[in-house]
Amino acid sequence: TVVTKSDTSPVTVADFAVQAMVLHDLHRAWPDDSFIAEEDSSELWTNPNLARDVQRYSQLPSLEQVMHSIDLGQHYKEWYRSEDDDKHDADDAATETQRKPQQEERPPRVWCLDPIDGTRGFLRGGQYCVALALLEGNGGVPTVGILACPNLPMDSSSNNNFDNNFWDDMESDNHSQRGCLFVASQGGGCYQLPLFVKDNEPLDSWR
């Protein structure tokens, strides 16, 4: 299922389902953290078939949990204010008592998620990724970055021939192991790991 947003960009069941799954698990692990993510649940409220598909693929037990988890990605609106917001309030004294917290009051930890970065690539069975980052402190310093690339061959990084056919060649390569996870942390280095491993295969062997 594909729907079109107001900016004409496509959004799929996978966008909603991935956002629901990731934010649900992050919120369960760190309930005091805040989140920024692309989607909200408004489309699901008006499209019951889409909502059912999202729940099925997200594997969350109830539609209420799906909606709540997706909307966690909109909580930044409670603490972030743009300059346009401030100018609007300054022009309308009646709303002055309803001002939201200023940007400097951002939570100390904010997760930023793009559930499907490259939706058109995803739709054609090509390259896309799930992109996640953790920002910490008042300045929003990136301390963790994760890219999950399900269709990227593990050995693609060893290919230095980045010509015009590079991505086409990778997408037509049916022999290499596919699925990469790139993980970086402040002071902890950067690693490429397989996204799919056997049950008895330790990840440390790939570091």
Side-chain angles (χ1 to χ4, degrees), residues 50-87:
L50 175 63
R52 283 193 292 270
D53 287 343
V54 171
Q55 182 187 353
R56 178 159 59 94
Y57 287 111
S58 71
Q59 301 180 8
L60 294 179
S62 70
L63 191 54
E64 290 74 15
Q65 277 194 327
V66 170
M67 302 290 200
H68 175 263
S69 297
I70 290 174
D71 286 338
L72 286 171
Q74 304 301 308
H75 277 186
Y76 71 94
K77 294 177 180 178
E78 298 298 320
W79 50 264
Y80 176 79
R81 294 178 59 81
S82 69
E83 292 182 2
D84 288 341
D85 292 331
D86 291 334
K87 291 176 181 177

Side-chain angles (χ1 to χ4, degrees), residues 24-31:
H24 175 270
D25 288 350
L26 288 174
H27 182 62
R28 185 172 58 181
W30 296 287

